[in-house]
Amino acid sequence: VVEPGPTSISDAERALEPDPDSGVEHGVILLAETRLNDSYGTNSELQTHLRAKIFSNEARNLANVVIPLRSSDKITGWWGRTLLPDGRVLELDETRLVEQQLARVGPWKVRELRGALPGVVPGCVIDYGYTIKSEVARGTRRVDLQRDWPVREFHYHWKPADYLTFDGHLYAAEGREVEIERDHSSVRVVGRRLPPLVREPMMPPVHEVRTAVYFYYVRESGSPKSYWRRHARRMDELSRTALAGGALDRALAGIEIAPDAPLERNLRVAYDWIVEDRYATMGGRTGPSSGSSVVAVGSLERPDQLFIQVARRLGAEAHVVLAADRRERSWDEGLKSASQFDVGLVAVRPQGTGDEQAIVVDPSSGLPFGEIPWWVGGTQGMLAHGKGARKIPLPPSEATSNRTTTIVDLRFSADGSRLEAEWSNTARGQAGLEQAVALASRRERLREEKLEAVCGLGPDTDVTRSEHRLLPFMVSELACHIERLLGPLGESTGRISIAWTGPWVRPVPDLPPGARVHPVVFDFPRIDEVRLAAATPPGFEPVEPPVPTELDSPYGRYRLAIARAADGLKLERTLTLLPLEVPPEEYDALRAFLQQIRRADDTVLEFVRARGG
Amino acid sequence: MTARRAAWLAAGLLAGLTLHATGARAAKLPDWAVAVAETAPEVEQPGPDDHWRILLSQTSVAVRADGTLSVERILAGQALRHGVSSFTVGGFHFDDSTRIRSARSWHLPPGGNVRRNRGRPIDFTFDDSFVTDQRTRIVPVGRTERGSLVFIEFDAVEDPETLTLVHSFYEAAPVDRARYRIEVPPGWQVRHDWPRTREVAPEVDGDRWVWELENLEGPSEPEPLGEAAFEGAPFLVVTVVPPAGTRPEKATVAPDWPALADWFSRLMEGRDALTPEIEAAAAALPRFEADPLGEIRAAALYVRDGIRYVAREIGIGSWQPRPASQVIHEKLGDCKDKGILLRALLRARGLDAHPILIDAVREGTVSFEVPAQHSFTHVVVGVFLPPEVELPPGFEAATLDMDGPERLLVIDTTDELTSIGWLPANLAGKRGLLVAGESSRLIEIPDGDAAAHRVERDVLYTMSAGGEVQVQRSISRFGEPAGEARARWRTSAGDYRRDAERGLRSRWPDAVIDSLDVEQETRSGAFMETAHCRRPGSTTDLLLSLFPDVLDDLDRVPLGDREQAVVYPHALTLRCSTTVRGVPDGTALPMAHEETGDGWRVTTRFSREGGELSAAFELRLVRRRFEPAAFEQLRAFWNAARQAASVAVRLDPPDAGP
């Protein structure tokens, strides 16, 4: 039973102090408990209770109570009080809760009851709770156990509707003091000493690492395995549905199939035809604009479906593969919900071979054969076939497939007041996809603004030319001309030092020192090459360049070489970054490698006044 | 009141909604709409972000003898694209003092028949107050086509507190023609003013006054260091005055500012009573013998930090302060509640403080001549300073000279980030209404000079024999820069510290950071950060920046194709004073430099005494606005600042030969 907490601050509560280093800075939730009873026919009762200690003014908003209500909801119980450090107790009476309407259409309302607990000062404890009666909601409910505040104790008890099949599933609970108990009529979750969510640069998605519980009803009873089997069968049936407009016949007529050639050759030709056909149809705009391309539940992108059917005609085994966008989440088999998937892919292999022989492709992404978008690479997908579902690893692409080659030509204006850079790059594979997504927008103006920003537009930098084009198979080409204000070179200027880095170099991640909680997540393995030529400013000559820098580590390789050229200095830099995910225990080593790269990138190009210059 | 009413103007947030009108059927347009439809222009090629064009926006107010208002708003819009949402235009703002009698809309697709929407109107609350009765009603018109005409009509009755009105000629799209009409009972006067833009004369026909404007600009894409489009929109203020001896039953008449101040005085009457609870709280404040400023600061800090800001804006509660005794008991309140508590506490300590009504968000809403209640959205406090008080440097920006020797110190008790005695930029240069009995008057807050918002850096480099460089850096931020730093610190001291350390490592990649300390509010009002770090010895020569990161506090933006003016929120001073100890003989001393322009100056100075080199940098920016025509001047300023800030000395490694 959910009931009010004690009306005095216990000694243990009084002894609690802030500890910013462990994330306990402004306040702590002492107890968060909820009891949701959906077993009153079509009605439901929610009882909730929160007790928290306030350490600083920044946590006082915890005492601004907001109770969301739907049109038909009724609040049938309330208490709210502030326990002051001096022992006094200030109550907020239910009559002082105010209904705040957020939206209303006739009798349908989105509203909240709001009340501000009085007298809140650092050191106090707040304690409030309420009961709401409403209609049963049948959707999946995700309840976060881990919050931005530390939670010392968490209880949730869900009693579902008697007549429906239900389940409860813990998420990201490894290493946490969390227990879930299910019986035939309810689910109970208890958590203790839950730390606040730590946010770190390049961490996995918050949704993925935050400890949570899902409560949901399922249409069909059975194990997760049987659920996925049924879903896989549905997807397989969908993949066999005839395409409208004679698309399959048109494709088969257009694809140059060589009957005697190996299967993989014909699959590649078929794949390329579909991608190029789509590219031509869409006028060069192809590939996912910002990320996820497919809704997995009940639909399949046309190029994927077409490729499956063509591949089968060619004698291959071809199946739908569903994958989750790892920027959002990973596929959790224990959670019986197909809405976890974001992307549809295709696995092809010769008949009679195993999944390990399969090549996973994604014609709708526009990537080359054998490549899949980086946001599903490195995860596990669900392969859907006629008999059921199988897990299939979706390997990340190789660094060599994701290469960006950048050419930069740096030149001073005659009076030395401007530095001009003519630069271009060609990005392939995932790097091309990344650049294409970064520059994509339905709005032309926004597209132009993004392009200028990528080219280097800034307070001191004008962009005088910016062009981008996307070729088939996600080859992205960028060309820019920029001018940077320097101010005139005076007679007294004897030495010029210029940083060679600029918008043409991807920033190397700057990871802070100290303990790391989450793994470091990279987008995809990649190779970035820069070839730069810097012309000597008039009246100057280049300084002898430093010796080349070469770094080698399990995380990649780096090489920087600067040399004299006929008209100045030339620089070559190659950075290969290999990892997809680096565990916290390797954080220091990774950070040291990146730090060394950053330091090497700080090397400047230098010129001194020429004798007689 | 709350400073957050700008949310009213956020109707654009609804752009994504696609609710459809229901029950549409062939219908007849009202006469006003027929006239607009007959003269509607062809749809031109829209700009990349244009969705709507407003052909007519008209608000008509009929003032009744009892002081209530009959309000009619009509709007005709033309869709410039297929499928644009009608939710973005034509909302009607109201609160509990308003009864909407009808809300209707029609849709005339190109070449089609008129359809009257018979679906239900939708009310939204945009205001972010904790509780509020402010709402916006929208009448959907269904899916539009390119060239569709939509007509929206509201009819309502309002019970205003005062017979003063304001009207912003601003819609969420460009407007061809906008009208504001007032009709008053016979013999009543109408006085008006345009505090923001040039005068537009009304057409007066008997008791009806009509202002008409054409070709008004719509919203523009917000840009960094830009200003919101609505800030430049024409703003009309009106007061309605009945004949002498006539007193409307339901609204207060305010023919001049003292009368409006009197209305507010009556609202707060008795609410600043010195109850035992107030007396006890005042007695518990720290004592500052013969130091009135210390007393003021102590009381203001108590109210600013000890009373949590919770805006509860319902009915007269939007204007009337809660009793100070209630505020101190609940330890919560909004601007007027906190203001009345500060007044009561200071009164208990023998000091004289009064509310000042002001607008914390919008510019140019207050007319000298024509009072208007809704020219204001916020309450701050003016404290009369005893003559003997000597103000510390920097407090001038928050102090007004009054009659004779009297001075008024302005304190915003809701601004937890600005130190007492300093003035936040959003209040600088604003007009406010001091509500102080006989002394009530319109006042003008100082505009704030460059010293009111400044960042001072002190850097000490000490070179050791082994080549190690010890760096001691302190940064004192005052005014707005202090508030910004305080906000980051209070959100998370840990994150602030990590960001600051990242900045140090970015400047000196090998640096070992020994300490980083923060004092978030010194007695002089500064936010002070002190860091000690060491850079290990190097075998290569060392380029030592003399003014490291000094321009971090100067915002700059790309000017490329920018069409909006660059507007700095406040004047600014940046200073850096650097000492380098252990400079080898022969190290070249940089040349002193000074560059000035219209509203800015950048100077550097260098000197050397033995092995100690001293360098000073100062940037003063007093000009806040740069129109596109002045961008070359702005570039010149930025360039001068960048060059001055980039001065470095080159030091040879310790074992390098001569």
Side-chain angles (χ1 to χ4, degrees):
Chain A
V1 177
V2 173
E3 53 189 21
T7 54
S8 61
I9 301 176
S10 70
D11 290 343
E13 289 170 341
R14 197 176 295 278
L16 290 172
E17 294 284 344
D19 178 11
D21 288 340
S22 62
V24 185
E25 191 166 0
H26 300 305
V28 58
I29 294 174
L30 303 166
L31 174 64
E33 59 178 336
T34 303
R35 185 182 173 86
L36 176 62
N37 191 338
D38 286 342
S39 67
Y40 298 114
T42 57
N43 292 328
S44 166
E45 183 182 79
L46 176 90
Q47 294 177 294
T48 193
H49 171 205
L50 186 125
R51 187 176 175 92
K53 182 164 181 183
I54 308 297
F55 293 134
S56 75
N57 279 355
E58 278 59 43
R60 290 184 301 188
N61 284 349
L62 274 173
N64 291 353
V65 182
V66 175
I67 306 170
L69 296 176
R70 289 171 295 169
S71 299
S72 59
D73 293 356
K74 284 189 183 130
I75 185 157
T76 58
W78 159 261
W79 78 89
R81 56 184 63 114
T82 306
L83 318 180
L84 295 174
D86 63 9
R88 285 181 297 145
V89 178
L90 302 180
E91 300 277 351
L92 181 71
D93 193 72
E94 186 180 337
T95 57
R96 298 186 61 196
L97 297 177
V98 177
E99 180 176 313
Q100 178 64 57
Q101 182 184 300
L102 303 178
R104 175 182 177 172
V105 186
W108 179 84
K109 285 193 274 187
V110 179
R111 61 198 173 112
E112 293 171 341
L113 277 184
R114 296 183 181 180
L117 296 177
V120 174
V121 292
C124 77
V125 167
I126 58 168
D127 193 287
Y128 70 83
Y130 52 85
T131 302
I132 295 172
K133 293 225 162 122
S134 58
E135 290 175 6
V136 169
R138 303 249 163 73
T140 297
R141 177 183 285 111
R142 177 185 161 116
V143 178
D144 292 333
L145 277 72
Q146 206 179 7
R147 307 178 183 188
D148 290 341
W149 307 95
V151 179
R152 290 175 66 82
E153 201 166 333
F154 175 93
H155 296 268
Y156 203 107
H157 182 242
W158 180 43
K159 189 165 169 35
D162 296 334
Y163 49 92
L164 294 175
T165 308
F166 65 93
D167 207 347
H169 180 72
L170 281 179
Y171 198 86
E174 300 77 23
R176 302 267 178 257
E177 288 184 57
V178 182
E179 291 167 14
I180 185 165
E181 285 176 29
R182 302 175 195 83
D183 58 27
H184 66 282
S185 63
S186 69
V187 184
R188 188 186 302 271
V189 178
V190 178
R192 288 192 178 80
R193 285 173 283 278
L194 296 163
L197 184 76
V198 175
R199 293 172 199 270
E200 295 172 318
M202 300 178 73
M203 64 183 276
V206 167
H207 195 79
E208 171 93 13
V209 297
R210 193 197 286 271
T211 305
V213 58
Y214 285 91
F215 299 112
Y216 58 104
Y217 293 103
V218 280
R219 284 187 189 160
E220 299 135 291
S221 60
S223 64
K225 195 173 176 184
S226 63
Y227 173 85
W228 293 118
R229 185 165 55 233
R230 283 191 295 273
H231 187 65
R233 283 177 184 161
R234 280 197 290 272
M235 291 308 296
D236 190 61
E237 281 166 21
L238 186 65
S239 73
R240 295 173 193 280
T241 312
L243 286 159
L248 179 60
D249 292 338
R250 186 176 152 264
L252 290 170
I255 297 167
E256 290 177 13
I257 298 166
D260 299 330
L263 174 64
E264 186 176 325
R265 179 265 171 203
N266 281 340
L267 288 173
R268 281 179 184 274
V269 170
Y271 180 95
D272 290 356
W273 186 91
I274 290 171
V275 170
E276 287 183 321
D277 182 58
R278 187 172 190 231
Y279 180 87
T281 310
M282 297 183 70
R285 289 174 289 108
T286 177
S289 59
S290 62
S292 309
S293 58
V294 175
V295 176
V297 191
S299 73
L300 190 60
E301 285 228 20
R302 189 181 168 88
D304 296 354
Q305 194 175 358
L306 178 59
F307 182 68
I308 289 173
Q309 296 185 5
V310 170
R312 285 174 180 159
R313 288 290 186 94
L314 293 173
E317 289 231 20
H319 299 290
V320 177
V321 174
L322 298 178
D325 184 337
R326 65 182 168 91
R327 294 170 299 181
E328 299 289 328
R329 66 186 81 78
S330 58
W331 173 37
D332 184 338
E333 267 183 290
L335 178 62
K336 292 180 276 186
S337 170
S339 62
Q340 298 180 71
F341 293 123
D342 305 285
V343 179
L345 310 167
V346 181
V348 285
R349 58 186 164 86
Q351 287 200 6
T353 59
D355 287 347
E356 68 281 357
Q357 299 289 316
I359 300 170
V360 185
V361 299
D362 184 15
S364 55
S365 73
L367 284 162
F369 185 81
E371 295 287 334
I372 53 176
W374 59 263
W375 46 86
V376 294
T379 68
Q380 298 263 356
M382 187 195 85
L383 186 143
H385 56 96
K387 292 179 182 168
R390 283 198 298 268
K391 262 194 168 182
I392 182 168
L394 304 174
S397 61
E398 297 289 325
T400 46
S401 304
N402 310 318
R403 186 183 295 266
T404 304
T405 305
T406 305
I407 311 289
V408 189
D409 195 4
L410 285 181
R411 195 167 295 280
F412 287 85
S413 62
D415 64 353
S417 65
R418 285 176 177 269
L419 182 65
E420 296 177 19
E422 181 88 43
W423 73 275
S424 61
N425 78 23
T426 303
R428 296 173 188 278
Q430 308 295 343
L433 176 62
E434 179 190 54
Q435 186 159 287
V437 168
L439 292 172
S441 173
R442 285 184 182 177
R443 290 161 62 186
E444 190 184 335
R445 186 165 140 190
L446 203 55
R447 222 166 31 243
E448 284 170 8
E449 284 177 7
K450 285 178 170 185
L451 182 55
E452 288 195 330
V454 168
C455 282
L457 182 67
D460 304 317
T461 307
D462 286 333
V463 176
T464 47
R465 185 166 70 89
S466 58
E467 289 166 12
H468 175 247
R469 62 181 189 144
L470 186 60
L471 305 175
F473 307 107
M474 284 294 148
V475 176
S476 171
E477 291 185 343
L478 182 68
C480 310
H481 182 268
I482 62 177
E483 293 182 4
R484 181 160 196 206
L485 269 178
L486 295 176
L489 292 176
E491 295 270 319
S492 61
T493 307
R495 191 180 190 107
I496 298 173
S497 306
I498 55 167
W500 63 270
T501 51
W504 44 84
V505 177
R506 279 177 53 80
V508 176
D510 179 16
L511 297 170
R516 177 84 183 187
V517 175
H518 304 295
V520 181
V521 177
F522 289 81
D523 291 346
F524 51 87
R526 63 189 310 146
I527 298 174
D528 294 334
E529 295 169 328
V530 178
R531 290 200 289 275
L532 178 143
T536 305
F540 286 75
E541 61 186 8
V543 169
E544 189 60 34
V547 294
T549 304
E550 293 201 29
L551 305 169
D552 211 340
S553 90
Y555 312 109
R557 287 176 296 282
Y558 174 87
R559 183 174 188 279
L560 178 73
I562 306 172
R564 281 174 180 265
D567 60 345
L569 292 168
K570 66 175 184 179
L571 174 148
E572 288 187 3
R573 182 231 200 215
T574 306
L575 172 61
T576 305
L577 278 175
L578 298 170
L580 207 58
E581 188 169 301
V582 177
E585 54 272 22
E586 293 181 30
Y587 180 70
D588 286 341
L590 170 69
R591 188 175 164 271
F593 175 61
L594 297 175
Q595 197 78 346
Q596 284 177 305
I597 297 171
R598 289 162 55 80
R599 202 173 302 137
D601 279 350
D602 274 350
T603 307
V604 291
L605 304 180
E606 295 198 288
F607 303 89
V608 290
R609 180 77 65 183
R611 269 165 291 188
Chain B
M1 276 179 292
T2 168
R4 298 163 183 171
R5 288 216 175 125
W8 272 115
L9 299 161
L13 291 173
L14 289 163
L17 291 177
T18 53
L19 288 173
H20 288 238
T22 55
R25 64 175 192 182
K28 275 184 68 177
L29 285 175
D31 291 346
W32 67 266
V34 171
V36 175
E38 284 174 356
T39 57
E42 290 293 309
V43 178
E44 296 166 5
Q45 189 61 36
D49 302 320
D50 296 338
H51 289 181
W52 285 99
R53 170 182 187 175
I54 306 299
L55 306 177
L56 173 66
S57 164
Q58 177 176 299
T59 300
S60 305
V61 179
V63 181
R64 295 158 162 183
D66 64 356
T68 58
L69 309 174
S70 174
V71 182
E72 183 197 63
R73 169 163 156 79
I74 58 177
L75 184 132
Q78 185 177 47
L80 303 181
R81 295 175 185 279
H82 180 74
V84 294
S85 167
S86 66
F87 283 79
T88 52
V89 293
F92 185 78
H93 310 311
F94 67 104
D95 58 22
D96 284 354
S97 70
T98 309
R99 185 167 57 87
I100 299 179
R101 296 188 292 203
S102 70
R104 301 188 291 175
S105 68
W106 297 263
H107 176 197
L108 177 57
N113 293 322
V114 175
R115 284 177 274 171
R116 159 105 191 263
N117 167 55
R118 296 188 185 276
R120 296 177 190 278
I122 305 168
D123 293 347
F124 288 101
T125 299
F126 295 118
D127 194 302
D128 61 357
S129 298
F130 188 58
V131 286
T132 179
D133 60 0
Q134 303 276 352
R135 279 157 284 168
T136 301
R137 178 159 295 183
I138 286 157
V139 195
V141 292
R143 194 160 186 82
T144 54
E145 298 170 36
R146 181 176 146 92
S148 279
L149 296 176
V150 303
F151 304 94
I152 302 170
E153 190 180 272
F154 296 95
D155 181 22
V157 176
E158 287 181 27
D159 288 337
E161 292 297 328
T162 64
L163 275 179
T164 62
L165 302 156
V166 301
H167 183 75
S168 176
F169 283 76
Y170 178 82
E171 298 284 353
V175 179
D176 285 3
R177 176 168 289 120
R179 275 193 212 113
Y180 187 71
R181 308 202 302 188
I182 290 187
E183 192 167 350
V184 293
W188 289 38
Q189 290 178 27
V190 172
R191 292 171 46 216
H192 78 278
D193 194 15
W194 299 85
R196 190 182 285 167
T197 46
R198 65 180 176 77
E199 162 76 12
V200 175
E203 273 186 31
V204 183
D205 179 9
D207 299 314
R208 177 179 293 180
W209 299 57
V210 182
W211 291 267
E212 185 166 306
L213 282 76
E214 291 183 349
N215 302 323
L216 300 173
E217 287 182 12
S220 50
E221 197 83 14
E223 294 198 54
L225 288 186
E227 60 188 359
F230 66 81
E231 285 183 29
F235 191 82
L236 176 67
V237 293
V238 175
T239 187
V240 178
V241 185
T246 306
R247 193 170 168 184
E249 185 188 331
K250 294 191 172 174
T252 299
V253 176
D256 51 31
W257 284 114
L260 194 70
D262 187 50
W263 162 77
F264 191 76
S265 291
R266 290 198 301 277
L267 285 183
M268 66 175 192
E269 201 168 309
R271 291 176 176 252
D272 55 354
L274 298 187
T275 61
E277 209 166 6
I278 297 290
E279 299 272 17
L285 292 172
R287 285 274 167 197
F288 292 87
E289 292 300 330
D291 179 8
L293 199 57
E295 300 263 311
I296 293 167
R297 189 167 185 275
L301 282 175
Y302 173 78
V303 176
R304 189 195 70 177
D305 298 340
I307 307 298
R308 121 174 164 257
Y309 179 82
V310 178
R312 293 170 293 179
E313 315 273 344
I314 292 181
I316 192 61
S318 299
W319 294 92
Q320 185 168 43
R322 288 161 188 83
S325 55
Q326 180 186 341
V327 178
I328 207 162
H329 175 75
E330 295 183 337
K331 294 230 170 7
L332 57 92
D334 55 23
C335 56
K336 56 194 181 295
D337 305 335
K338 294 177 89 163
I340 203 87
L341 175 58
L342 180 58
R343 171 175 156 81
L345 289 173
L346 289 175
R347 201 148 66 89
R349 302 295 285 259
L351 291 158
D352 193 16
H354 301 274
I356 299 169
L357 304 184
I358 201 163
D359 194 308
V361 177
R362 303 169 300 175
E363 300 279 346
T365 59
V366 183
S367 156
F368 269 124
E369 307 296 334
V370 180
Q373 174 193 346
H374 291 283
S375 286
F376 307 116
T377 56
H378 190 45
V379 174
V380 295
V381 176
V383 185
F384 279 102
L385 294 170
E388 70 274 16
V389 169
E390 279 187 32
L391 289 173
F395 279 37
E396 305 82 16
T399 311
L400 283 80
D401 289 326
M402 305 295 283
D403 303 331
E406 285 192 322
R407 290 165 302 163
L408 194 69
L409 179 67
V410 178
I411 297 172
D412 185 346
T413 56
T414 66
D415 187 344
E416 296 176 11
L417 301 175
T418 301
S419 191
I420 306 300
W422 295 78
L423 192 76
N426 64 315
L427 299 182
K430 294 272 179 73
R431 291 175 191 162
L433 177 61
L434 173 69
V435 181
E438 297 286 308
S439 302
S440 293
R441 74 186 75 172
L442 206 60
I443 58 169
E444 203 149 345
I445 310 279
D447 200 13
D449 65 8
H453 307 286
R454 64 180 196 270
V455 181
E456 296 177 346
R457 283 176 157 77
D458 283 292
V459 182
L460 172 63
Y461 294 115
T462 307
M463 325 295 296
S464 73
E468 182 182 86
V469 184
Q470 290 185 25
V471 185
Q472 181 180 326
R473 190 191 71 180
S474 70
I475 308 174
S476 300
R477 293 186 162 87
F478 298 87
E480 282 292 322
E484 288 158 16
R486 233 167 251 140
R488 289 192 289 123
W489 174 262
R490 289 182 188 170
T491 301
S492 171
D495 286 350
Y496 181 96
R497 192 178 295 280
R498 279 185 282 278
D499 286 349
E501 288 177 354
R502 184 176 300 143
L504 287 168
R505 283 196 311 278
S506 160
R507 165 63 62 182
W508 299 292
D510 299 324
V512 177
I513 299 165
D514 293 320
S515 67
L516 194 142
D517 300 303
V518 163
E519 189 178 352
Q520 59 161 321
E521 192 166 356
T522 67
R523 192 166 160 74
S524 64
F527 179 94
M528 193 163 172
E529 175 194 312
T530 310
H532 290 83
C533 61
R534 284 172 287 131
R535 189 192 153 145
S538 169
T539 53
T540 58
D541 53 0
L542 169 66
L543 202 59
L544 198 65
S545 171
L546 290 180
F547 309 118
D549 307 323
V550 70
L551 292 188
D552 282 3
D553 293 280
L554 177 69
D555 289 335
R556 297 184 300 155
V557 291
L559 297 177
D561 303 328
R562 183 168 171 131
E563 293 172 357
Q564 288 182 15
V566 170
V567 183
Y568 279 96
H570 50 78
L572 182 68
T573 298
L574 302 179
R575 289 197 190 109
C576 184
S577 174
T578 301
T579 303
V580 189
R581 287 186 186 149
V583 176
D585 293 341
T587 302
L589 191 67
M591 299 269 285
H593 191 69
E594 173 166 343
E595 267 195 78
T596 58
D598 180 7
W600 60 268
R601 191 179 75 208
V602 180
T603 56
T604 53
R605 284 180 291 107
F606 306 93
S607 63
R608 179 171 183 164
E609 201 166 312
E612 187 166 302
L613 186 153
S614 299
F617 170 98
E618 183 178 271
L619 174 154
R620 278 172 61 82
L621 174 67
V622 293
R623 178 174 175 181
R624 288 172 49 195
R625 189 179 185 89
F626 293 84
E627 296 293 346
F631 280 176
E632 277 313 306
Q633 296 174 46
L634 187 58
R635 280 184 203 274
F637 163 55
W638 287 345
N639 204 28
R642 196 168 44 77
Q643 286 194 54
S646 66
V647 176
V649 287
R650 181 175 296 278
L651 305 172
D652 293 331
D655 55 351

